[in-house]
Amino acid sequence: MRIRSAIVLGLAAAFALTGCGTDEGSGEDEGPRGPAPKVAALGPFVGECGHVTDDEVRDIGGLGQIVQSFKNAVGCNWQAGGLAGSSITFASYRGSPLEREKAWVTTHGRPPEPITVGGRTGFAALDPSGRICDLAVQLDDDFFEWSTAFSGYDTSGNPCDRSRALAELTIERLG
């Protein structure tokens, strides 16, 4: 009985293994199994820090003396010193949907309002305290964002006005 069971088990294993081979003659199409992923078209080049200089950020943003600045391939941040310690940030997003950023600012209590800057659509989102503004502008499948944050005792004006002025410079200088 053991021999007969071993033979049956061996034949079953052999049949199972032959089913694991390639099926070259099946006639099935070997192409993609779903729709091809969308390749985002690159928008215009926004340059380092949105083509805006440190002096322009200081003056337009009302930062006074800039005590720290950080710059990398996709963003820049400037920090003012003193009690008012306000900051301004620029970020560029390639192939990223503006709707995701709208959702993010909404979840952080800053309702986005539609805007147009230099003929380009976007949004401005001011927090209820009037101290933080995120302003984003669509560029084809890309977008950029200027964020102005007042802190300390700085409450002079609307931070969205400052972000908008910086966004207008970026749009004017697109490469």
Side-chain angles (χ1 to χ4, degrees), residues 45-70:
F45 179 61
V46 294
E48 181 181 72
C49 302
H51 291 301
V52 177
T53 67
D54 292 350
D55 289 340
E56 289 169 327
V57 169
R58 183 194 67 234
D59 295 344
I60 293 169
L63 293 183
Q65 182 180 3
I66 295 174
V67 295
Q68 288 183 322
S69 67
F70 303 98

Side-chain angles (χ1 to χ4, degrees), residues 135-152:
L135 188 139
V137 177
Q138 187 76 53
L139 299 172
D140 300 331
D141 286 335
D142 306 337
F143 73 92
F144 69 85
E145 181 176 47
W146 281 99
S147 295
T148 301
F150 295 155
S151 60

Side-chain angles (χ1 to χ4, degrees), residues 24-54:
E24 291 180 33
S26 69
E28 288 186 33
D29 184 31
E30 295 289 330
R33 300 282 182 210
K38 180 184 179 220
V39 177
L42 296 180
F45 179 61
V46 294
E48 181 181 72
C49 302
H51 291 301
V52 177
T53 67
D54 292 350

